[in-house]
Amino acid sequence: GGAPDAEFAGAQADLDAVLAAQPGWGQALVTRGMLHNNAARWRHRRGQDAEESFRAAIADYDGAAAQAPEDGSILVRRANARNNWGAWLKDTGRSPVEHYLAGLADLEKAVARAPNDPDAWSRTGDVCLNLGTWRQLKGEAAADLYERGAAAYGKALERAPRSYPAWFRRGWLR
């Protein structure tokens, strides 16, 4: 497929218009955050600078979280964006640790708010896997993160037994 830049720009213009008419609308902020995260991931896969898109995603999720502080799903989405940002930083030779740790903090809050959310548990496993891989690449101990990640995937599977990504990634960590 071709470059989705025009689609990203069009969707952002629509969401900007919605937010101009209804400032601070949480669902629009979440949706625009998802758009920015997807744009950043697309840029990452093509070796392009993704930082501006990641910053925009986090800012939108921050705004949405301020509107609905008890909604753990917003924290899960923000943690996912932080995890993706960390992966981009790692791939560009920079430390992702700050973003991975911030993602884990978001996920701890999300799990506390919604302990039965399999996505929160699965994303916790994802961040532990990525942070553990980074530490291992740097010659640091990572077993604790891999164990924590495998346990998180186990919790996800207790709640969603058909989650292929959780099965696959938990198996990878074992």
Side-chain angles (χ1 to χ4, degrees):
D5 291 325
E7 289 85 356
F8 287 141
Q12 182 171 341
D14 287 346
L15 289 163
D16 290 347
V18 167
L19 286 162
Q22 299 180 49
W25 182 29
Q27 187 57 50
L29 288 168
V30 167
T31 303
R32 193 172 66 182
M34 292 166 51
L35 173 72
H36 287 305
N37 187 38
N38 286 334
R41 291 177 60 225
W42 182 84
R43 289 182 177 97
H44 173 196
R45 286 191 300 271
R46 278 145 190 84
Q48 299 172 355
D49 188 345
E51 188 148 0
E52 182 179 332
S53 294
F54 282 124
R55 285 189 191 285
I58 298 302
D60 283 339
Y61 291 135
D62 288 347
Q67 296 296 317
E70 296 305 312
D71 187 344
S73 69
I74 297 167
L75 299 176
V76 172
R77 291 187 186 284
R78 185 170 66 187
N80 184 49
R82 292 182 195 281
N83 189 37
N84 291 333
W85 194 351
W88 174 71
L89 288 168
K90 178 183 71 70
D91 289 349
T92 59
R94 294 176 281 172
S95 174
V97 173
E98 171 188 349
H99 297 285
Y100 290 154
L101 292 176
L104 283 175
D106 278 345
L107 290 161
E108 287 168 2
K109 292 175 194 169
V111 165
R113 291 176 185 155
N116 290 319
D117 179 0
D119 196 34
W121 287 108
S122 189
R123 297 294 181 183
T124 299
D126 293 347
V127 178
C128 288
L129 173 60
N130 287 341
L131 181 55
T133 300
W134 172 259
R135 284 190 180 165
Q136 195 170 18
L137 288 170
K138 295 296 178 185
E140 300 172 15
D144 62 323
L145 284 163
Y146 292 149
E147 289 171 12
R148 182 177 174 190
Y153 288 131
K155 296 272 190 185
L157 290 167
E158 288 171 10
R159 289 147 179 85
R162 301 181 116 195
S163 173
Y164 169 77
W167 281 112
F168 176 77
R169 292 179 186 129
R170 186 176 76 165
W172 190 7
L173 287 174
R174 288 186 164 183

